[in-house]
Amino acid sequence: MSKSVAKIKNIKLINIRQILKYKHMKKTKILVTGGTGYIGSHTVVELQNKGFEVVIVDNLSNSHIEVLDGITEITGIRPTFEQFDLCDSEKTKNFFTKHNDIDAIIHFAAFKAVGESVEKPLMYYRNNLDSLINILENIQLSGIKGLVFSSSCTVYGQPDELPVTEIAPIQKAMSPYGNTKQIAEEIITDFINVNPNSKAIALRYFNPIGAHKSAKIGELPIGVPNNLVPFITQTAIGLREQLSVFGNDYNTVDGTCIRDYINVVDLAKAHVVAVERIIENKTKFNFEVFNLGTGNGSSVFEIINSFEKATNQKLNYKVVARRAGDIEKVFADTRFANEELGWKAEISLDETLLSAWNWEKYYRAKKSLLNKE
Ligand code: NAD
Ligand code: WQD
């Protein structure tokens, strides 16, 4: 046998051995709490698309089991799903005993309605903080590499300087919901201080909007939406009569409030990058914080115009009084996330609003079909 033939045979053998090795190699396993929720479901899709094994825990308090069908249709993989309340410490412990091979956690599960949190503060403190503490206790017990935590730009209040950076001072929370995010970041800081083998990343989202481009998953608010974009799509489809624009006398380009609206798929991709950063030991600090936004501020009128242009729908709206507690303008300085995570929001506002509209149409058509059956 000539030397070159032997070399080729050798290479082939190595390749086959490698394939066999990878076939038997365990996939990296991520626990996604709140994984049937809005941001969680989009993140599960991106994780599965990148080859991660996902297990979801959700008590379905603000989501539906059918979301799993949407995820399966998009990715071809049905994630493992366990339904229970993460505030139940016994059930949470049993879960981690059963799934003793989890590498990292993305913790979305929380209540998120600002107004409701003012009405029912204890319900918010109990749900959002008990669940986090249970998760952290099990990280400590089971040597899991770390946690990605859903935080919010709400911690900045009305910042003195815009765009707002991660080192801007945290302002007194405007609601119990906002306070749970501030306290949660403090709890994580204290936990990581004494458990330096685990790493944590808090992602402070600005305003997540839109849906997966397939329209198989999206945002599904229960009852009357509080947030702008679901209210717009529900008005356009005829479920709500009119959108109320809360104030046009702010000190902004057109008098309406400014926010940093970020596409939910872009946001989901940032979670994949963050979890990889933890797993691959690339974190520079034991607890890191990143802003997730586009870096651009848009006014309410700009959102309405973009929606009308992208979808060819005329929106019925009127200007009403300001909404109590609204911040005038806030948008992210995204340089730290762009440079350090190597992540950048890419999807345009028009495309994002079109995706929200396509999801609304798809969901309502599916629902009316089911109701007829
Ligand atoms: P969502 O309500 O759609 O998803 C949260 C999921 O968690 C739901 O499916 C709910 O059933 C589940 N859940 C809640 N409490 C639970 C518990 N105790 N045990 C098990 N499951 C539980 O919300 P979302 O918009 O996807 O938000 C995800 C996270 O991001 C939340 O922590 C939220 O506070 C945060 N966040 C959201 C926004 C936003 O505008 N959507 C902005 C900033 C931060
Ligand atoms: C956006 C803009 C409204 C509805 C909330 C939470 C925050 C964070 C993101 C989780 C504002 C205006 C809205 C309507 C309107 N969530 N608006 N008519 O207020 O930036 O933030 O979601 O962490 O904590 O507070 O988002 O979508 O409610 O409002 O004119 O019917 O749209 O006044 O200027 P917001 P939003």
Side-chain angles (χ1 to χ4, degrees):
M1 191 163 51
S2 76
K3 262 188 181 170
S4 56
V5 173
K7 209 172 158 192
I8 291 168
K9 278 195 169 169
N10 214 5
I11 289 170
K12 274 192 179 157
L13 204 66
I14 292 169
N15 282 344
I16 290 166
R17 275 202 196 115
Q18 258 171 358
I19 289 165
L20 285 175
K21 187 174 144 202
Y22 285 129
K23 225 179 140 191
H24 294 290
M25 220 163 79
K26 180 189 149 313
K27 277 187 177 181
T28 305
K29 185 165 168 180
I30 311 296
L31 163 61
V32 180
T33 76
T36 44
Y38 173 44
I39 306 170
S41 57
H42 289 81
T43 303
V44 171
V45 165
E46 296 309 317
L47 285 167
Q48 293 195 157
N49 282 345
K50 283 212 88 180
F52 289 97
E53 181 183 347
V54 174
V55 51
I56 295 175
V57 170
D58 201 302
N59 63 356
L60 302 180
S61 56
N62 198 35
S63 57
H64 301 272
I65 194 72
E66 290 77 21
V67 171
L68 294 178
D69 299 335
I71 294 172
T72 311
E73 281 176 50
I74 298 169
T75 63
I77 302 164
R78 198 169 184 87
T80 307
F81 176 74
E82 303 261 0
Q83 183 181 347
F84 68 90
D85 188 338
L86 286 156
C87 295
D88 185 324
S89 57
E90 209 48 45
K91 283 189 181 153
T92 308
K93 197 169 160 216
N94 292 341
F95 167 85
F96 280 98
T97 309
K98 181 175 163 195
H99 295 272
N100 60 3
D101 55 349
I102 287 169
D103 296 285
I105 302 171
I106 307 181
H107 183 46
F108 291 105
F111 292 154
K112 63 165 181 178
V114 176
E116 186 184 51
S117 79
V118 176
E119 301 294 319
K120 300 173 183 168
L122 297 184
M123 186 175 109
Y124 270 68
Y125 286 116
R126 173 143 349 252
N127 191 59
N128 294 3
L129 300 179
D130 273 7
S131 57
L132 173 69
I133 292 167
N134 286 340
I135 291 284
L136 293 175
E137 259 174 6
N138 285 283
I139 289 184
Q140 195 172 29
L141 290 173
S142 47
I144 291 170
K145 282 196 152 187
L147 169 87
V148 176
F149 175 71
S150 296
S151 191
S152 168
C153 69
T154 192
V155 302
Y156 298 122
Q158 177 61 69
D160 293 332
E161 281 178 42
L162 287 170
V164 60
T165 68
E166 290 83 352
I167 53 170
I170 301 294
Q171 309 258 11
K172 184 174 166 30
M174 307 271 280
S175 68
Y177 165 73
N179 209 18
T180 67
K181 293 297 173 192
Q182 296 190 3
I183 297 170
E185 287 196 11
E186 286 170 8
I187 292 174
I188 296 170
T189 307
D190 292 343
F191 171 80
I192 292 295
N193 270 343
V194 288
N195 292 279
N197 289 337
S198 299
K199 312 292 170 210
I201 297 180
L203 300 176
R204 291 180 181 158
Y205 317 152
F206 281 66
N207 289 57
I209 59 165
H212 192 266
K213 66 176 187 304
S214 67
K216 305 256 185 234
I217 52 172
E219 188 171 10
L220 208 54
I222 291 172
V224 182
N226 295 308
N227 296 115
L228 179 63
V229 172
F231 207 106
I232 288 179
T233 55
Q234 289 196 9
T235 307
I237 208 144
L239 221 64
R240 314 274 155 216
E241 202 188 319
Q242 189 172 54
L243 168 78
S244 298
V245 173
F246 298 137
N248 64 350
D249 55 351
Y250 287 97
N251 181 24
T252 61
V253 269
D254 56 23
T256 64
C257 293
I258 305 273
R259 298 286 183 276
D260 186 338
Y261 296 92
I262 174 168
N263 183 292
V264 68
V265 175
D266 276 336
L267 192 77
K269 286 181 177 164
H271 290 77
V272 179
V273 177
V275 92
E276 281 172 337
R277 185 176 171 91
I278 288 176
I279 286 163
E280 292 164 12
N281 295 317
K282 286 186 182 156
T283 52
K284 299 214 172 122
F285 300 95
N286 292 340
F287 181 30
E288 298 179 325
V289 177
F290 295 98
N291 281 345
L292 294 184
T294 64
N296 301 316
S298 305
S299 74
V300 177
F301 283 152
E302 281 165 349
I303 294 294
I304 294 172
N305 289 340
S306 170
F307 176 81
E308 291 188 332
K309 180 162 71 96
T311 64
N312 225 2
Q313 296 293 313
K314 198 88 203 102
L315 194 73
N316 182 21
Y317 68 88
K318 77 161 184 227
V319 176
V320 300
R322 290 181 176 197
R323 180 171 71 177
D326 258 340
I327 302 294
E328 184 169 85
K329 40 181 146 134
V330 62
F331 50 97
D333 188 322
T334 60
R335 280 175 301 174
F336 190 47
N338 299 159
E339 286 157 24
E340 196 53 48
L341 289 179
W343 163 92
K344 200 172 184 339
E346 283 170 347
I347 307 171
S348 73
L349 191 58
D350 285 3
E351 200 180 321
T352 302
L353 289 164
L354 181 61
S355 72
W357 176 233
N358 286 339
W359 157 248
E360 186 74 60
K361 284 191 298 182
Y362 168 85
Y363 179 72
R364 297 297 157 197
K366 194 171 137 191
K367 211 173 157 198
S368 80
L369 206 69
L370 286 175
N371 286 344
K372 275 185 201 141
E373 276 173 7

